[in-house]
């Protein structure tokens, strides 16, 4: 069960915020959900949106501008928080890329992080059960997308759970965290120093081992200041080519890493998911 914290009318639907107690994360968690008015059917397909570093459930709902198109398509859009919260939850002060706001959508195994930082279990378990219990959702038609760290989460959670997330896309995702500073920092501290334990959260490695039957859509800005050091989409492109994974990688000229970039292409992504979830 979840408590409805707020509800605001938007494009003929409602933008909601829920709070509930999470057993996976050992704390209260919030999520945002846009629910269009349902006219012809009792349930609607769902798109889960995973946000990036430093974000909460509010970022996408206030900056991405997806509500108008979601209402037109009859698509529920759910945005969970990026990490556990609360005074008792361990954090790394003055480190924006680790700790609160940087859960990396994995299940930590190392102290002191392992008690609360279990975002993989949260998203694939509790979050989906809450969506089913609280929203008019068709759980046979669920897709996943995300931005940056959230793009990493979307790709890895789909590749590991294609039966849960039927469609997948990403905006400027971290595609090879085992090979870039953001990922190496997070994976080594959450999972331990043995690199062999990191592969389960690396989309480029996962797609080589078990490509998805779904086609993957990735948008990446060419003016993204994290492109060469942290994102490196060519590594994922190479892995997809080698494994036969269907991939549409669009390099968007002049776009950066911000929500200006996300808001420009979010309509394309919603239509991509809706076509495949309803077709």
């Amino acid at each position: 069960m979840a408590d409805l914290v707020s509800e605001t009318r938007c494009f003929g639907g409602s933008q909601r915020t829920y709070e509930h107690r999470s057993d996976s994360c050992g704390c209260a968690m919030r999520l945002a959900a846009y629910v269009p008015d349902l006219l012809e059917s009792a349930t609607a397909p769902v798109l889960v949106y995973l946000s990036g570093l430093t974000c909460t459930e509010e970022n996408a709902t206030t900056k991405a501008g997806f509500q108008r198109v979601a209402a037109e398509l009859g698509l529920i859009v759910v945005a969970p928080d990026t990490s556990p919260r609360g005074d008792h939850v361990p954090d790394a002060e003055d480190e924006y890329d680790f700790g609160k706001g940087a859960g990396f959508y994995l299940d930590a195994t190392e102290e002191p992080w392992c008690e609360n930082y279990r975002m993989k279990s949260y998203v694939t378990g509790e979050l989906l059960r809450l969506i089913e219990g609280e929203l008019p959702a068709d759980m046979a038609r669920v897709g996943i997308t995300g931005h940056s760290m959230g793009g990493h989460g979307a790709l890895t959670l789909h590749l590991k759970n294609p039966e849960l997330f039927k469609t997948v896309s990403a905006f400027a995702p971290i595609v090879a965290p085992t090979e870039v500073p953001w990922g190496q920092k997070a994976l080594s501290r959450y999972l331990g120093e043995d690199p062999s334990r990191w592969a389960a959260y690396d989309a480029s490695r996962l797609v080589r081992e078990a490509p998805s039957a779904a086609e993957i859509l990735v948008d990446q800005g060419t003016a993204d200041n994290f492109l060469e050091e942290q994102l490196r989409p060519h590594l994922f492109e190479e892995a997809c080519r080698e494994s036969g994974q269907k991939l549409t990688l669009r390099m968007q000229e002049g776009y950066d890493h911000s929500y200006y970039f996300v808001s420009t292409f979010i309509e394309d992504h919603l239509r991509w998911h809706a076509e495949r979830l309803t077709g």
Side-chain angles (χ1 to χ4, degrees):
M1 295 293 292
D3 295 323
L4 181 63
V5 176
S6 66
E7 183 172 16
T8 303
R9 198 78 177 140
C10 183
F11 288 105
S14 61
Q15 182 63 61
R16 308 175 186 176
T17 299
Y18 291 92
E19 183 171 293
H20 71 110
R21 176 71 185 180
S22 167
D23 292 331
S24 296
C25 297
C27 65
M29 294 289 287
R30 286 197 171 199
L31 64 133
Y34 180 73
V35 184
D37 288 350
L38 303 177
L39 301 179
E40 298 181 1
S41 64
T43 60
V46 179
L47 181 62
V48 175
Y49 181 100
L50 303 181
S51 293
L53 290 167
T54 76
C55 293
T56 71
E57 77 286 348
E58 290 186 334
N59 291 73
T61 57
T62 59
K63 296 180 179 181
F66 60 76
Q67 290 89 346
R68 175 186 59 82
V69 180
E72 174 196 331
L73 298 172
L75 185 65
I76 296 171
V77 181
V78 176
D81 201 350
T82 55
S83 71
R85 306 282 177 176
D87 292 341
H88 68 291
V89 174
D91 194 14
E93 292 186 10
D94 301 322
E95 295 183 59
Y96 79 95
D97 54 356
F98 190 78
K100 292 180 185 178
F104 270 84
Y105 304 102
L106 51 74
D107 283 354
T109 58
E110 300 299 297
E111 295 288 350
W113 318 105
C114 57
E115 183 175 348
N116 303 105
Y117 286 78
R118 298 179 52 79
M119 290 299 295
K120 177 181 77 71
S121 290
Y122 175 74
V123 173
T124 59
E126 282 183 282
L127 179 68
L128 295 182
R129 291 193 295 272
L130 189 147
I131 291 171
E132 184 175 22
E134 300 289 340
L135 304 176
D138 182 349
M139 300 308 293
R141 297 186 292 161
V142 179
I144 192 166
T145 188
H147 174 224
S148 193
M149 178 186 71
H152 144 78
L155 293 174
T156 57
L157 294 181
H158 165 77
L159 290 167
K160 291 165 72 71
N161 305 276
E163 76 286 358
L164 298 180
F165 304 108
K166 304 298 195 303
T167 58
V168 61
S169 70
F171 302 86
I174 305 169
V175 298
T178 63
E179 300 185 43
V180 301
W182 272 344
Q184 291 168 343
K185 176 179 180 177
L187 298 177
S188 64
R189 293 169 72 176
Y190 286 136
L191 303 175
E193 294 294 340
D194 182 358
S196 67
R197 301 172 65 183
W198 306 350
Y201 297 103
D202 186 304
S204 296
R205 297 193 181 192
L206 288 171
V207 81
R208 278 192 171 91
E209 297 173 2
S212 166
E215 184 174 358
I216 298 173
L217 171 63
V218 173
D219 273 312
Q220 172 64 62
T222 62
D224 191 321
N225 59 316
F226 300 115
L227 178 59
E228 296 301 328
E229 182 179 23
Q230 306 286 8
L231 305 178
R232 304 178 70 185
H234 67 279
L235 296 178
F236 189 64
E237 186 177 33
E238 291 170 4
C240 288
R241 186 183 304 114
E242 291 174 9
S243 67
Q245 172 67 55
K246 291 180 289 185
L247 170 70
T248 297
L249 171 62
R250 307 191 304 188
M251 299 300 295
Q252 304 291 0
E253 187 67 30
Y255 285 89
D256 63 12
H257 198 71
S258 72
Y259 265 91
Y260 294 111
F261 158 65
V262 174
S263 65
T264 300
F265 299 104
I266 190 73
E267 179 172 349
D268 290 355
H269 285 243
L270 265 63
R271 294 191 184 281
W272 168 280
H273 287 274
E275 179 182 352
R276 288 155 179 77
L277 291 173
T278 61

